[in-house]
Amino acid sequence: MELRPHLLVVDDNQEIRTLLSRFMEKNGFRVTAVRDGREARYAWTYGAFHLVVLDLMLPGENGLEIARWLRDQQDVPIVIVSAMGDDADRIAGLELGADDYIVKPFNPRELLARICAVLRRASERQKNVTGGNRTEQPLRFAGWILERSQRRLLNPDGIGVPITRGEYDLLLAFLEHPNRLVTRDMLHPLSRRDETTLVDRAVDVAVSRLRRKLNHPGEQGQIIKTVRSGGYILAAIVDRI
């Protein structure tokens, strides 16, 4: 029998923990619900989870700190559920690598749909990684190498440069369209990673963070160039190796 997906719910509101636990279990999930970062770390140590539902406003360690810690442990999907609904809050959460962001109060059915969508995307990414086909060959550009099978970025000195899932997706979009205009509309879904409505600044912020990581001593100019009122261009030849 196929193992049911296991969710880790981190929220300090007892009613929400109970609601989500009952609703998700009725819809085929296993659920472990905890109230803060300390309990989340303990649960993570002794459990295997397919996705984390994470509140931001928690006692003690906040949700962004927990998300950062989770990203250091494993590339687990994260869905943020928070009353903090400003664009700045959404952007901060998504920049840390969250896969979706939903604002409280929320409809449990909408959250269920988003969780299922995130798990489907994660499953497809895993199939691509383990498939071993041509689409997973490493890509070389301007001395850099993106190892797609391991989602790892190596600088011209062969040293690994940490990148988030969102930054990886953005970089891959540029590498698939080298020396061609990539508009903000094309990049917007990658910078927000879901259907959440965000301002165009989300794209600029995400590209700016990626661009800073691609700066390397001795390089002339920027690899990702801005086209005013248009978007961006990856100014490099891309080779499969």
Side-chain angles (χ1 to χ4, degrees), residues 174 176-182 186 232-234:
F174 283 121
E176 290 174 342
H177 303 85
N179 296 296
R180 292 167 53 188
L181 177 66
V182 181
M186 295 169 64
Y232 302 91
I233 288 179
L234 180 81

Side-chain angles (χ1 to χ4, degrees), residues 18 21 96 138 181 217:
T18 301
S21 295
L96 277 177
L181 177 66

Side-chain angles (χ1 to χ4, degrees), residues 49-238:
F49 299 97
H50 297 84
L51 183 143
V52 178
V53 178
L54 178 64
D55 186 19
L56 293 185
M57 300 177 65
L58 296 169
E61 189 177 23
N62 66 45
L64 291 179
E65 293 172 325
I66 296 172
R68 188 178 294 110
W69 180 82
L70 287 169
R71 279 286 163 262
D72 291 337
Q73 308 307 306
Q74 181 184 331
D75 192 23
V76 63
I78 299 173
V79 175
I80 291 176
V81 179
S82 175
M84 301 169 62
D86 291 343
D87 284 341
D89 297 320
R90 298 177 189 240
I91 291 171
L94 297 171
E95 281 183 348
L96 277 177
D99 296 80
D100 204 344
Y101 194 117
I102 186 169
V103 178
K104 295 178 179 178
F106 59 89
N107 185 318
R109 292 187 178 277
E110 179 185 1
L111 178 59
L112 172 63
R114 290 183 181 234
I115 287 174
C116 291
V118 168
L119 288 174
R120 282 196 300 270
R121 292 197 296 268
S123 177
E124 288 302 315
R125 283 195 298 268
Q126 184 61 32
K127 288 179 182 178
N128 289 337
V129 168
T130 59
N133 54 35
R134 186 170 181 268
T135 63
E136 292 306 315
Q137 287 181 265
L139 299 176
R140 180 191 290 122
F141 63 101
W144 294 73
I145 294 177
L146 183 67
E147 295 183 338
R148 290 186 286 178
S149 62
Q150 300 182 50
R151 305 175 70 86
R152 185 170 64 160
L153 178 65
L154 303 177
N155 71 19
D157 295 328
I159 299 173
V161 176
I163 57 174
T164 67
R165 182 181 302 172
E167 290 166 348
Y168 172 89
D169 289 344
L170 278 177
L171 179 57
L172 188 57
F174 283 121
L175 296 178
E176 290 174 342
H177 303 85
N179 296 296
R180 292 167 53 188
L181 177 66
V182 181
T183 67
R184 286 181 175 83
D185 287 341
M186 295 169 64
L187 295 175
H188 206 179
L190 299 178
S191 64
R192 61 189 180 178
R193 304 192 57 81
D194 65 305
E195 294 76 24
T196 305
T197 301
L198 292 179
V199 295
D200 283 344
R201 181 174 173 274
V203 173
D204 297 329
V205 169
V207 172
S208 177
R209 288 170 62 91
L210 176 60
R211 182 184 274 156
R212 286 197 298 271
K213 291 190 175 182
L214 292 176
N215 286 340
H216 188 262
E219 288 182 345
Q220 299 296 321
Q222 293 181 323
I223 297 174
I224 301 175
K225 299 184 180 298
T226 301
V227 178
R228 180 172 296 181
S229 302
Y232 302 91
I233 288 179
L234 180 81
I237 295 174
V238 179

